[in-house]
Structures are given as structure tokens and as C-alpha cells.
Amino acid sequence: MSLKSAQRLTLFFAALTVVLRIISDVWIRPLLVASFSSGHALLLVTLIGFLSLIVPLGAYALVLRPPWRSPRLWAVDAEKREFSANATPTAIGPLVVVFAYIASGAISGAIADFDTVAVSGFSLLLGIALLTPFIAILMTARPRLTLNRDGMTLHGLRRHSHYPWDGPFPRRPPGQWLNVDRGFLAFTLDRYRLHADTRDRIGTQAEMEDLQAAFAAIKDQPS
């Protein structure tokens, strides 16, 4: 599955969560409150609200279960002569769905209080404000890590951090959010920090194949 397809699927399940929460809050909740005693109505409203999050979140996990792209290797950009790894949708995606659920509570409140323009407008803006940062992170695939002959660059939403191969490096490789195997990431960084003669080959398919072969050989060694 491509990065764009994974992003579209994440947005679909986020939108599904919003729709289910609005239906639950605006139409189903008043119907249950009017039809059942307060205790039963509260139980049913809580259950339906819970399902409006768990159903799309569970379906999302099944459809986009990690690894969403296998094997998790560097993307090769021969033109720029660099390797790169974007943020994996499976890291930020569940947060997008959960915050879509939270934001939809404000949106459904805006619909319910439509006659009160000030309250409705504030609720709608609050819902959009809660969800926008996570959608921005998802669609920009940040953080993003690139490697070239000069070093490693971590691209965030607002700032970039560059680390020359021969200079100070982060203690921990920033692999938690990235669509690259952590062990492969650590192996790659060690290779270029310790072997300066290999840096000019970064960004080529031949070097990518050599990296895979060298990493596989280390993994196959008995511990």
C-alpha cells in the first residue's frame, strides 16, 4: 500500500468516526432519552457513543495494520541522491481517528445548538481546531528523515535539524514515528558514521541493495 493510499484510508475512517458521532449525539441520543428510563437511556447512550469510536478504530486497525508497507526500507531518491523515510500512518493514524471522535463532539454540539449562533460557531471552531493539527501531520508525513552524503536531516512541521556524519548525533535514532525498521535504521546510521567511504553511494539503488544484504548478514549471525 502506498503512502497516499494509507493517508486517504486514515481520512476516510476519521470522517466515518465524525459521522457516527454526530448521528449518535444529534439523533439517537434524544430518541433514547425520550424512549427509556434515565438509567437505561444513559447506559445505551454510553454504549452507542463507545461503539461510534471503537467500530471505525477497529476497522482501521484491521485494514491498515502494520507493517502497512513491507519491507520497511529507505525510499531511494536517485535524483537528490538521498534516502528518506516518512512518518508511518499507523503511528499517527489512530490519533487522527481518536481526535476526530473528540472533535466531532464539538461539531455535534454546534449542530444541536444551531439556533444559538455564538455557541454553535464556537463549538464548530473548537472541533476544527482540535482536528486540524493531526490532519496536517498526517498529510505532510512529518516527521521525515533524510540521509545524504553530508549527514542526516530530521524534517519536522516547523523546523529542520541537520546532523553531520562526523558531528554530534542524537542518542536515540528518531525511528518511533518513521516507516523504516528501527534495527535497519540504526544499522544504516552506524554504517555511514563509521565508514566515510560509503557515504557517496547514498541515494543509489545499488547502495540500498548492499545495505539490505549487509543487514541481513548481521541478523543471520548466531547470537
Side-chain angles (χ1 to χ4, degrees):
M1 182 184 297
S2 69
L3 175 63
K4 291 294 183 183
S5 297
Q7 290 171 331
R8 293 190 190 103
L9 275 173
T10 304
L11 291 178
F12 168 78
F13 282 106
L16 177 63
T17 303
V18 171
V19 171
L20 291 177
R21 175 75 187 269
I22 290 174
I23 291 174
S24 171
D25 289 354
V26 177
W27 287 286
I28 297 180
R29 179 186 292 178
L31 182 62
L32 292 175
V33 170
S35 303
F36 295 92
S37 64
S38 58
H40 290 159
L42 178 61
L43 179 62
L44 290 172
V45 166
T46 303
L47 177 61
I48 292 175
F50 179 74
L51 290 175
S52 66
L53 171 63
I54 293 302
V55 169
L57 192 60
Y60 173 80
L62 289 174
V63 172
L64 203 67
R65 57 187 180 274
W68 63 273
R69 190 185 72 185
S70 182
R72 298 172 66 196
L73 304 173
W74 297 106
V76 179
D77 190 330
E79 183 177 348
K80 294 182 179 180
R81 293 299 293 268
E82 68 180 23
F83 294 143
S84 65
N86 293 315
T88 171
T90 54
I92 188 65
L95 289 177
V96 174
V97 175
V98 170
F99 270 82
Y101 177 81
I102 296 171
S104 61
I107 295 172
S108 63
I111 296 173
D113 296 324
F114 188 75
D115 293 336
T116 310
V117 177
V119 175
S120 176
F122 175 78
S123 298
L124 185 60
L125 289 175
L126 178 61
I128 294 173
L130 284 170
L131 192 54
T132 298
F134 290 91
I135 292 179
I137 293 172
L138 173 73
M139 298 310 294
T140 56
R142 299 297 174 92
R144 181 172 183 264
L145 191 68
T146 58
L147 310 180
N148 59 29
R149 61 176 297 178
D150 298 319
M152 175 184 79
T153 304
L154 181 62
H155 306 262
L157 280 175
R158 300 184 61 181
R159 55 177 293 185
H160 301 165
S161 300
H162 180 70
Y163 303 93
W165 293 120
D166 296 321
F169 244 59
R171 290 185 178 181
R172 292 184 178 181
Q176 180 179 0
W177 297 84
L178 298 175
N179 185 47
V180 61
D181 180 83
R182 285 191 181 187
F184 188 57
L185 168 61
F187 172 79
T188 302
L189 298 183
D190 286 343
R191 175 184 174 96
Y192 296 133
R193 295 198 71 196
L194 298 174
H195 304 283
D197 56 303
T198 61
R199 297 171 188 170
D200 285 336
R201 303 182 64 201
I202 295 175
T204 65
Q205 189 60 42
E207 175 64 6
M208 182 75 259
E209 293 172 1
D210 285 349
L211 274 173
Q212 288 180 257
F215 183 62
I218 289 178
K219 290 182 68 175
D220 291 340
Q221 291 178 355
S223 55

